[in-house]
C-alpha cells in the first residue's frame, strides 16, 4: 500500500489512539484468523475518530495532491479490528460544495492505501462564474419538481457528471406530492446551459408489512414512555393524521402496549418501535455499527401519518409510516423498519444518489438489509423470506411488491443488469442487485424459505451454489461502508463486493467465488477484481527468465521491501490487478524488489523490459527529488541501467527496454529501487516485466 500522509499527520493520528508505524499492508497477507467480518476495535469512538481525522484534512489534501482551493470534510470513519480505517471525505472547491466529489481513503496507521474517487474525479476545478441567473435556475428547479412548491432555494455548487465537473445550481424544492408524500427535491441545473443535470429526493419512500409480529418485548423508559435508552434513545411518536411535526411520544400507565389491532393507536407504535429495535440490534451485533449514523444516537419513528397513506419513508432524520388503505393496515412491520432505517445507513456511508445505477443500488440496499433484519428477528409470526411487501396486498391480489429471487415477476423490475438499467425508477433498477443477493445467498434452483417457494435462475444460465445469506450481507455492508460513493455504478458494486469478500474471507475462498459468480449471474461485466487472482496476464514465454513477471502471484519469486508489490487500486496495474508500486509515500523512504536470474551463456542477446507509469505531486520542472532505478547486481557490483524521476512524469504506461547481454553466463539479480525525499509523493508503478534471452 502507498503511504501518502505526512509525518505530522502520523503524529496526530497516533495521538487519537490509532495504530501508527505500519509501512505497508495488503489484503492477501491477512491470516486465517482475519477472515471474518472486521468489527471496530473495542472502545472505538466513531465521532472522536471523525474529529481526529478532520484535524488532518489539510495535510491529507496536500498528500493526495488535490488542487488549489480544494478542502476536505470528514463524513465517516470505519475502523477494522486490525486498525485499518476507511475515511470518507466530502469536498469543497473555492468554498463551493462539490456534489459527487466524495472520496474514500484507506489507512492503516501512517499508511494510506488506496484512494477511491467518486466517478474517478480527482480534479474538480471549474470556472465559478455562472451564465445562468439564480432566479432562472430556481424557476427551472420548481418546474422540474412537478408538485406545488412550498419552498424553493438554491446555491452554486460544483456538480461532478460521469464525464467531468461542471458549475451548477443546486435547487432545493420542498412540498408535498399528490399522494401525501413530502418531498425535499434537489435539482442540479447547469449554470451555463440551464439543463437539468440530475435530481435527488431526500425523502426515500418504501413499503413493508402490516402488524404481524405478534406479542413482542420492546425497550421503553422507566416512566413507561416509548423511548429506548438501551438503543440510543430510539423513540416512537403518534402523528394522529398530521403530515408535519414530530408527533406525540407514546406513553402508557402499565408498560403493556397496544392490543394487536388498529382499534388501539399504540399497536402501530409497537410494531414500528419493535422494528427499530430489531434493526438497531442487527447492525450492532452483525456489523458492529452503533446506530444509523454510527454515533450511538437513536432516531424517531412516526406512525399514523396522513390519511390512508399507503407508504412509509425515510426523510434524512426519521422513519415515518402511513396507516395503509382505509387506515386499516399500518405499514409498520419488521422488514419495513429495516428498509427505512437502512436508507439512513446508506445516507451516512456511501450516500448513494437516488438516480441512475446508484438509485437502484440505494433501493436494493434497503431491501437487502430489511430482509436480513427480518431473518435475524426469527419471529414466527413474520418469518424471513425474499419477498418485499408480501403482506400488505397493495396489488389487491395477494402478490408482493418485489421478488428478490426473480425481480421481473412484478412486471416492472429487471433481473439482469444492462446499460439501460440506470434509466429505470430506483424501485425497479434495484432488481439486479436484489437478484444478486438472492443468488449469492441461496443460489439457483427451487427451495422453500419462510414457507414460501422461491426459484431463481442466473442470467448467464449458470448453476450457482449459494454461500449463505449472512455472508452475502456482511460482504454487501462492507462494500457499502468502505467501497462505494454517491455516484457508484453496478460495475463499481461488483469491484467493491469482490474486493470486500477477499478482505473478509480470502481471495481463494468459496465465499469470494460465490460473490463473483452471483455478479456473473446478473450480467455485470468483469472488471479488475477477481477472487482467485488468476495467473499472469502475460505468462512467461519459453525465453522469459523472470518468474511471476506480472506480479499476479503477489510477492512470490521477488524479495525486498514489504508492501510495494500490491493489488491496491490506488494506482492501476497495466494488466491484471497486481503491480510493483514504488514510492507514493510523501515522506523520506526507500523501497526495492529484486529477483535472481541465470542468463544462459549460449544467449546471443538478452533484453530486460518492463512497463512503467509515473505520477507525482512535485511541481518542479528542473529538480529530481524522487527517483526509481533499474539495477543489475552481479556479486558485489551493482550497476544502474536506468534512472527515472519526478521529471519523467507519464500517467500512461510506457515500455522500457534495456540491454543486459553482457551478463550472459552469470546469475545476477534484477533490482528495482525507489527513493523519495521528505515531502510530496512520486509513484513509480512497474508491471509486466520480462528478461528475454535468445
Amino acid at each position: 500500500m502507498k503511504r501518502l500522509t505526512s509525518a505530522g499527520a502520523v503524529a496526530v493520528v497516533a495521538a487519537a489512539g490509532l495504530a501508527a508505524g505500519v509501512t505497508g499492508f495488503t489484503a492477501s497477507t491477512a491470516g486465517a484468523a482475519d477472515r471474518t467480518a472486521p468489527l471496530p476495535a473495542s472502545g472505538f469512538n466513531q465521532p472522536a475518530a471523525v474529529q481526529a481525522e478532520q484535524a488532518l484534512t489539510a495535510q491529507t489534501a496536500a498528500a493526495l495532491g488535490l488542487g488549489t482551493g480544494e478542502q476536505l470534510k470528514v463524513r465517516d470513519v470505519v475502523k477494522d479490528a486490525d486498525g485499518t480505517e476507511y475515511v470518507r471525505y466530502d469536498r469543497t472547491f473555492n468554498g463551493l460544495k462539490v456534489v459527487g466529489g466524495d472520496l474514500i481513503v484507506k489507512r492503516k496507521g501512517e499508511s494510506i492505501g488506496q484512494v477511491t474517487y467518486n466517478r474517478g474525479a480527482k480534479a474538480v476545478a471549474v470556472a465559478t462564474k455562472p451564465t445562468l441567473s439564480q432566479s432562472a435556475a430556481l424557476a427551472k428547479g420548481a418546474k422540474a419538481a412537478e408538485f406545488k412548491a412550498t419552498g424553493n432555494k438554491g446555491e452554486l455548487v460544483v456538480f461532478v457528471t460521469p464525464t467531468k465537473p461542471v458549475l451548477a445550481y443546486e435547487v432545493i424544492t420542498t412540498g408535498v406530492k399528490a399522494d401525501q408524500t413530502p418531498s425535499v427535491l434537489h435539482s442540479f441545473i447547469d449554470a451555463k446551459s440551464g439543463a437539468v443535470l440530475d435530481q435527488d429526493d431526500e425523502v426515500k419512500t418504501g413499503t413493508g408489512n402490516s402488524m404481524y409480529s405478534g406479542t413482542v418485548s420492546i425497550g421503553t423508559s422507566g416512566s413507561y414512555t416509548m423511548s429506548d435508552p438501551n438503543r440510543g434513545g430510539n423513540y416512537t411518536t403518534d402523528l394522529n393524521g398530521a403530515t408535519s411535526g414530530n408527533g406525540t411520544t407514546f406513553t402508557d400507565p402499565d408498560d403493556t402496549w397496544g392490543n394487536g389491532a388498529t382499534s388501539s393507536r399504540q399497536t402501530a407504535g409497537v410494531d414500528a418501535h419493535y422494528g427499530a429495535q430489531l434493526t438497531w440490534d442487527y447492525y450492532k451485533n452483525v456489523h458492529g455499527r452503533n446506530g444509523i449514523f454510527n454515533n450511538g444516537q437513536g432516531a424517531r419513528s412516526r406512525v399514523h401519518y396522513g390519511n390512508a397513506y399507503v407508504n412509509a419513508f425515510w426523510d434524512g432524520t426519521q422513519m415515518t409510516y402511513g396507516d395503509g388503505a382505509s387506515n386499516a393496515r399500518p405499514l409498520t412491520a419488521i422488514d419495513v423498519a429495516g428498509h427505512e432505517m437502512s436508507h439512513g445507513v446508506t445516507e451516512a456511508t456511501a450516500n448513494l444518489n437516488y438516480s441512475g445505477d446508484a438509485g437502484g443500488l440505494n433501493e436494493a440496499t434497503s431491501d437487502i438489509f430489511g430482509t436480513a433484519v427480518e431473518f435475524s428477528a426469527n419471529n414466527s409470526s413474520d418469518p424471513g423470506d425474499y419477498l418485499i411487501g408480501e403482506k400488505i396486498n397493495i396489488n389487491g391480489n395477494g402478490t408482493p411488491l418485489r421478488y428478490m429471487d426473480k425481480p421481473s415477476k412484478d412486471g416492472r423490475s429487471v433481473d439482469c443488469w444492462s446499460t439501460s438499467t440506470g434509466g429505470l425508477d430506483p424501485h425497479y433498477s434495484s432488481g439486479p442487485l436484489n437478484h444478486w443477493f438472492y443468488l449469492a445467498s441461496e443460489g439457483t434452483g427451487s427451495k422453500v424459505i419462510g414457507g414460501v417457494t422461491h426459484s431463481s435462475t442466473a442470467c448467464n444460465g449458470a448453476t450457482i451454489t449459494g454461500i449463505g445469506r449472512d455472508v452475502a450481507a456482511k460482504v454487501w455492508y462492507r462494500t457499502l461502508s468502505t467501497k462505494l460513493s454517491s455516484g457508484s455504478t453496478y460495475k463499481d458494486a461488483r469491484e467493491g463486493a469482490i474486493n470486500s469478500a477477499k478482505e473478509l474471507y480470502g481471495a481463494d475462498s468459496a465465499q469470494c467465488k460465490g460473490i463473483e459468480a452471483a455478479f456473473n449471474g446478473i450480467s455485470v461485466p468483469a472488471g479488475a477484481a477477481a477472487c482467485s487472482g488468476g495467473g499472469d496476464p502475460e505468462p512467461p514465454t519459453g525465453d522469459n527468465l523472470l518468474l511471476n513477471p506480472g506480479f499476479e502471484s503477489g510477492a512470490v519469486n521477488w524479495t525486498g521491501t514489504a508492501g510495494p508489490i500490491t493489488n491496491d487500486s490506488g494506482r492501476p496495474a497495466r494488466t491484471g490487478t497486481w503491480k510493483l508500486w514504488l514510492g507514493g509515500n510523501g515522506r523520506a523512504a526507500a523501497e526495492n524488489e529484486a529477483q535472481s536470474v541465470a542468463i544462459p551463456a549460449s544467449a546471443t542477446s538478452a533484453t530486460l523490459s518492463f512497463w512503467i507509469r509515473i505520477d507525482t505531486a512535485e511541481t518542479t520542472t528542473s529538480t529530481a527529488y524522487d527517483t526509481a532505478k533499474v539495477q543489475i547486481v552481479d556479486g558485489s557490483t551493482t550497476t544502474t541501467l536506468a534512472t527515472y524521476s519526478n521529471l519523467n512524469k507519464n500517467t500512461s504506461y510506457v515500455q522500457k527496454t534495456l540491454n543486459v547481454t553482457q551478463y550472459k553466463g552469470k546469475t545476477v539479480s534484477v533490482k528495482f529501487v525507489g527513493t523519495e525525499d521528505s515531502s510530496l509523493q512520486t509513484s513509480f508503478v512497474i508491471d509486466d516485466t520480462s528478461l528475454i534471452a535468445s
Side-chain angles (χ1 to χ4, degrees):
M1 300 298 177
K2 297 295 102 179
R3 285 73 68 191
L4 304 183
T5 51
S6 68
V10 172
V12 179
V13 172
L18 307 180
V22 180
T23 58
F25 65 103
T26 66
S28 64
T29 61
D34 297 322
R35 304 301 193 200
T36 57
L39 299 178
S42 177
F44 174 65
N45 185 321
Q46 191 262 0
V50 169
Q51 185 177 12
E53 292 293 347
Q54 186 61 42
L56 306 178
T57 52
Q59 297 98 311
T60 301
L64 296 178
L66 299 186
T68 303
E70 294 186 48
Q71 292 184 324
L72 297 174
K73 182 178 180 181
V74 179
R75 173 148 47 91
D76 189 29
V77 178
V78 174
K79 184 179 180 182
D80 291 349
D82 68 354
T84 302
E85 287 188 315
Y86 295 82
V87 187
R88 189 181 295 273
Y89 299 92
D90 292 318
R91 276 192 280 182
T92 60
F93 172 69
N94 288 344
L96 301 181
K97 178 170 62 174
V98 181
V99 179
D102 42 320
L103 59 132
I104 306 168
V105 172
K106 183 178 180 181
R107 183 199 307 275
K108 186 172 183 182
E110 71 171 283
S111 288
I112 288 185
Q114 68 190 50
V115 182
T116 304
Y117 294 92
N118 186 15
R119 289 176 171 166
K122 180 175 181 179
V124 297
V126 297
T128 57
K129 185 176 181 179
T131 301
L132 187 73
S133 68
Q134 185 177 50
S135 60
L138 289 172
K140 284 182 174 290
K143 182 178 181 180
E146 298 182 348
F147 57 80
K148 185 176 181 180
T150 58
N152 202 32
K153 60 183 181 180
E155 64 176 347
L156 280 173
V157 300
V158 177
F159 182 79
V160 179
T161 74
T163 57
K164 64 179 181 178
V166 298
L167 185 68
Y169 287 98
E170 180 180 17
V171 178
I172 304 176
T173 308
T174 55
V176 178
K177 299 176 183 177
D179 68 351
Q180 303 180 68
T181 303
S183 180
V184 183
L185 183 66
H186 295 242
S187 298
F188 299 96
I189 314 296
D190 191 304
K192 291 186 177 181
S193 69
V196 179
L197 300 171
D198 202 2
Q199 291 182 301
D200 189 28
D201 202 321
E202 288 184 26
V203 179
K204 305 299 192 291
T205 57
T207 54
N209 305 328
S210 58
M211 299 177 293
Y212 295 101
S213 296
T215 301
V216 297
S217 297
I218 59 174
T220 59
S221 68
S223 58
Y224 302 150
T225 300
M226 204 173 282
S227 176
D228 191 344
N230 296 320
R231 296 174 178 86
N234 276 344
Y235 69 106
T236 303
T237 66
D238 182 1
L239 280 171
N240 197 26
T243 56
S244 62
N246 297 334
T248 303
T249 304
F250 284 101
T251 59
D252 188 85
D254 59 6
D255 211 21
T256 299
W257 306 80
N259 62 3
T262 55
S263 58
S264 170
R265 301 191 67 78
Q266 291 183 353
T267 302
V270 169
D271 282 337
H273 200 64
Y274 176 59
Q277 170 180 307
L278 291 172
T279 304
W280 177 288
D281 290 350
Y282 169 76
Y283 277 107
K284 179 73 172 179
N285 298 333
V286 176
H287 304 299
R289 188 173 188 86
N290 196 18
I292 289 177
F293 294 101
N294 204 22
N295 59 3
Q297 297 180 6
R300 177 172 53 238
S301 298
R302 304 185 304 173
V303 298
H304 302 305
Y305 173 90
N307 180 33
Y309 181 64
V310 190
N311 218 327
F313 58 85
W314 165 263
D315 66 7
T317 61
Q318 61 194 348
M319 290 77 68
T320 300
Y321 305 91
D323 283 331
S326 302
N327 294 314
R329 302 173 72 91
L331 283 78
T332 50
I334 297 170
D335 61 352
V336 73
H339 180 107
E340 299 308 334
M341 292 181 76
S342 293
H343 275 308
V345 173
T346 296
E347 179 183 326
T349 53
N351 196 26
L352 291 162
N353 297 334
Y354 212 57
S355 60
D357 269 9
L361 299 178
N362 187 321
E363 190 63 25
T365 293
S366 284
D367 283 349
I368 286 168
F369 290 122
T371 296
V373 169
E374 185 179 74
F375 274 102
S376 177
N378 195 28
N379 186 296
S380 60
S381 297
D382 187 9
D385 54 42
Y386 293 92
L387 305 179
I388 308 300
E390 69 273 14
K391 294 184 179 178
I392 57 176
N393 197 25
I394 282 183
N395 296 327
N397 57 5
T399 59
L401 291 175
R402 291 188 289 280
Y403 305 78
M404 299 184 88
D405 56 340
K406 188 173 179 58
S408 61
K409 286 176 67 176
D410 67 10
R412 290 168 290 190
S413 297
V414 292
D415 299 332
C416 314
W417 181 85
S418 71
T419 55
S420 63
T421 298
L424 301 174
D425 179 279
H427 293 88
Y428 311 133
S429 60
S430 63
L433 191 67
N434 278 339
H435 191 197
W436 166 82
F437 182 69
Y438 182 87
L439 289 173
S441 300
E442 306 292 344
T444 51
S446 179
K447 59 179 65 177
V448 177
I449 305 167
V452 177
T453 298
H454 296 71
S455 182
S456 191
T457 57
C459 301
N460 62 351
T463 298
I464 296 174
T465 301
I467 54 174
R469 181 179 54 257
D470 292 343
V471 170
K474 287 177 181 178
V475 168
W476 186 246
Y477 176 78
R478 185 166 180 82
T479 305
L480 180 76
S481 60
T482 68
K483 304 294 190 298
L484 301 183
S485 51
S486 56
S488 290
T489 64
Y490 267 91
K491 294 180 182 179
D492 296 326
R494 177 187 173 115
E495 292 289 292
I498 292 173
N499 284 327
S500 293
K502 290 165 72 172
E503 292 164 0
L504 295 177
Y505 303 105
D508 293 322
S509 65
Q511 293 93 333
C512 184
K513 293 173 183 176
I515 293 296
E516 186 175 30
F519 272 107
N520 292 337
I522 62 166
S523 300
V524 177
C531 292
S532 64
D536 271 56
E538 293 183 4
T541 67
D543 293 328
N544 191 348
L545 303 177
L546 292 177
L547 301 176
N548 188 23
F551 307 104
E552 292 304 311
S553 297
V556 175
N557 302 118
W558 295 89
T559 59
T561 311
I565 294 177
T566 179
N567 63 352
D568 183 278
S569 60
R571 296 294 186 277
R574 177 178 174 266
T575 56
T577 57
W578 290 76
K579 62 273 180 180
L580 171 59
W581 183 357
L582 298 170
N585 301 285
R587 58 175 174 78
E591 301 167 316
N592 68 85
E593 293 292 343
Q595 183 175 147
S596 179
V597 58
I599 303 176
S602 59
T604 57
S605 67
T607 302
L608 173 65
S609 69
F610 53 91
W611 294 77
I612 187 168
R613 176 189 186 277
I614 304 171
D615 67 85
T616 183
E618 303 281 5
T619 58
T620 180
T621 59
S622 60
T623 306
Y625 290 113
D626 310 314
T627 63
K629 296 181 179 181
V630 185
Q631 300 176 333
I632 294 291
V633 181
D634 179 13
S636 60
T637 301
T638 298
T639 302
T640 298
L641 303 179
T643 301
Y644 308 97
S645 75
N646 48 280
L647 301 179
N648 303 118
K649 177 180 178 180
N650 190 328
T651 54
S652 298
Y653 275 97
V654 176
Q655 189 175 34
K656 304 292 184 180
T657 301
L658 304 171
N659 188 345
V660 292
T661 308
Q662 69 189 85
Y663 298 101
K664 68 179 183 177
K666 295 184 177 182
T667 297
V668 297
S669 287
V670 175
K671 189 173 185 179
F672 297 94
V673 180
T675 305
E676 284 185 290
D677 70 350
S678 59
S679 65
L680 298 180
Q681 73 89 24
T682 301
S683 291
F684 303 94
V685 189
I686 296 166
D687 203 357
D688 298 333
T689 66
S690 66
L691 201 164
I692 304 296
S694 60

